[in-house]
Amino acid sequence: MEQQYLQKPIGGTYMDINNNSAQKIDLDYILERGVADYSDGDIVIFEHLGGKSVDGSVKLDMIMMVYCVKGRMQCDVNGKTYTANAGEVMIGLPNNVYSNYMISPDFESRIFGLSYAAAERNMRINRDVLDLIGYVATNPVISLDDERQALVTKYYSIIAHKIKSPHGYFHKEIMHSLFQCAMYELFAIIAPHVQYSHDGGETKQANLLFRKFADLLSANEGKVRSVKRYADELCITPKYLSFVSKTVTGKTALEWIHQSTVKNIERYLSHSNMSIKEIADILEFPNLSFFGKFTKSHLGVSPTEYRRQQSMKNKNL
């Protein structure tokens, strides 16, 4: 591609993939640059990255979807060059490193971001999702046909309207629903291209192993918190299970185990009349004190306080 066509790096600075200190890009970073049209702590919507300089390479700590409305953009993703033209979406995944970002003078875009935490809460990790993520990891540019380009435009028009009229009940929920609809439209485009075969290849074997781990996590409902226990069930070493988990998802096996437990703690505290001790017992914590410390370290408050906050929130709604 001709250099004179793609002539605008971020802030006038080309990003160097050889720079080991990659700038982390997350929702807080976007907000600090003052370019967000909408943000609620989980999702962010904006049209450009602004004029402040970004030195070196950048690493995503969020999911970012850049819809190219006009012109084109080019960047290196983990050292490999990709180009998105008008009518295409470039999807960025957490832990990907981006460098040598350039855009054409007439470039226009719509950018949607989803925090890592929100993605973990809202996307159930199953075989289909893992296969989709695996495909996007090596094929980050998705072409939209005319019909889906029109759909994305309509979604954005509705979202833009809601941004301008933020008042009313369930505003955040409505924004998240619109965002999820747009994501599923992308999933529908990607799905036919994904190979769901689970035999052969180190990557497929790693994905298959993690799927089995995810199935065990779901079945145990947060009760088992030992990496060794899961590794024994899968007939592998704890170190290898964590390696596979980190390779496939960017998170260690212990992080996934703790996330599963926290989700179940939230569920019991928010949607059951069980006492704190009963919840600790059903999740097989050794004692109430350990349960309280675990909950506070992950949710920021004690189990009693978390239940009180959820009760107040429901009353306000």
Side-chain angles (χ1 to χ4, degrees):
M1 187 170 298
E2 295 183 358
Q3 180 91 354
Q4 63 266 27
Y5 183 73
L6 295 171
Q7 59 184 354
K8 289 186 179 179
I10 297 177
T13 303
Y14 289 95
M15 292 183 284
D16 179 11
I17 192 66
N18 295 317
N19 188 326
N20 293 323
S21 56
Q23 166 72 56
K24 184 178 74 171
I25 302 293
D26 56 12
L27 263 67
D28 290 337
Y29 176 86
I30 301 299
L31 293 178
E32 288 172 4
R33 293 173 71 87
V35 298
D37 296 312
Y38 172 84
S39 178
D40 58 22
D42 285 330
I43 63 175
V44 63
I45 300 168
F46 56 106
E47 296 187 1
H48 57 83
L49 286 173
K52 294 182 180 179
S53 175
V54 177
D55 296 321
S57 57
V58 299
K59 178 183 286 188
L60 284 185
D61 193 29
M62 60 189 292
I63 295 174
M64 184 180 291
M65 294 174 286
V66 182
Y67 173 50
C68 182
V69 178
K70 186 179 179 183
R72 52 180 166 175
M73 64 175 287
Q74 175 182 300
C75 68
D76 292 350
V77 184
N78 299 327
K80 185 175 180 180
T81 303
Y82 294 93
T83 302
N85 297 292
E88 295 181 328
V89 177
M90 182 174 287
I91 302 177
L93 298 176
N95 295 316
N96 279 354
V97 176
Y98 295 80
S99 61
N100 299 323
Y101 175 90
M102 295 178 285
I103 58 177
S104 62
D106 60 342
F107 180 72
E108 293 181 14
S109 64
R110 305 288 183 265
I111 306 173
F112 304 85
L114 178 67
S115 73
Y116 203 167
E120 292 170 349
R121 288 199 307 270
N122 298 328
M123 290 200 319
R124 177 178 172 80
I125 300 298
N126 55 33
R127 297 190 177 198
D128 291 342
V129 169
L130 282 172
D131 284 327
L132 286 166
I133 292 173
Y135 179 84
V136 171
T138 54
N139 301 272
V141 178
I142 310 299
S143 296
L144 308 183
D145 58 25
D146 291 342
E147 179 182 354
R148 285 195 167 92
Q149 287 184 48
L151 276 174
V152 170
T153 300
K154 289 178 181 178
Y155 279 127
Y156 188 80
S157 295
I158 297 172
I159 289 171
H161 173 75
K162 295 301 296 182
I163 291 173
K164 293 177 181 177
S165 305
H167 305 293
Y169 293 108
F170 303 110
H171 178 70
K172 181 176 179 178
E173 288 79 2
I174 291 170
M175 294 295 289
H176 278 239
S177 296
L178 290 169
F179 188 90
Q180 284 186 324
C181 286
M183 285 189 66
Y184 279 117
E185 290 291 349
L186 287 177
F187 288 171
I189 297 170
I190 298 168
H193 302 286
V194 177
Q195 294 182 0
Y196 293 95
S197 172
H198 305 307
D199 57 318
E202 291 184 6
T203 301
K204 290 179 182 178
Q205 290 298 325
N207 284 340
L208 178 58
L209 183 58
F210 182 80
R211 291 187 193 101
K212 291 179 179 179
F213 172 52
D215 289 342
L216 290 175
L217 277 176
S218 179
N220 287 324
E221 296 185 332
K223 298 176 183 178
V224 176
R225 288 175 291 280
S226 166
V227 176
K228 186 178 185 306
R229 285 271 300 276
Y230 286 103
D232 289 344
E233 289 195 57
L234 295 168
C235 300
I236 58 176
T237 66
K239 184 176 181 180
Y240 186 65
L241 175 56
S242 286
F243 169 77
V244 167
S245 178
K246 187 75 173 179
T247 300
V248 173
T249 69
K251 294 173 57 179
T252 66
L254 186 60
E255 287 176 312
W256 280 110
I257 291 169
H258 284 173
Q259 178 181 302
S260 175
T261 300
V262 170
K263 283 185 176 181
N264 281 280
I265 290 174
E266 290 175 325
R267 176 167 62 88
Y268 284 121
L269 290 175
S270 301
H271 305 294
S272 81
N273 293 321
M274 297 170 63
S275 69
I276 303 299
K277 186 179 186 309
E278 287 173 328
I279 296 173
D281 288 342
I282 200 171
L283 291 175
E284 300 182 4
F285 278 86
N287 54 61
L288 196 57
S289 175
F290 188 82
F291 175 68
K293 290 178 180 177
F294 181 92
T295 302
K296 188 168 185 178
S297 68
H298 288 86
L299 295 179
V301 293
S302 68
T304 302
E305 177 61 18
Y306 182 83
R307 172 169 273 176
R308 188 192 70 80
Q309 290 177 359
Q310 294 304 303
S311 178
M312 293 296 297
K313 180 179 178 181
N314 292 334
K315 286 180 180 179
N316 291 335
L317 290 176

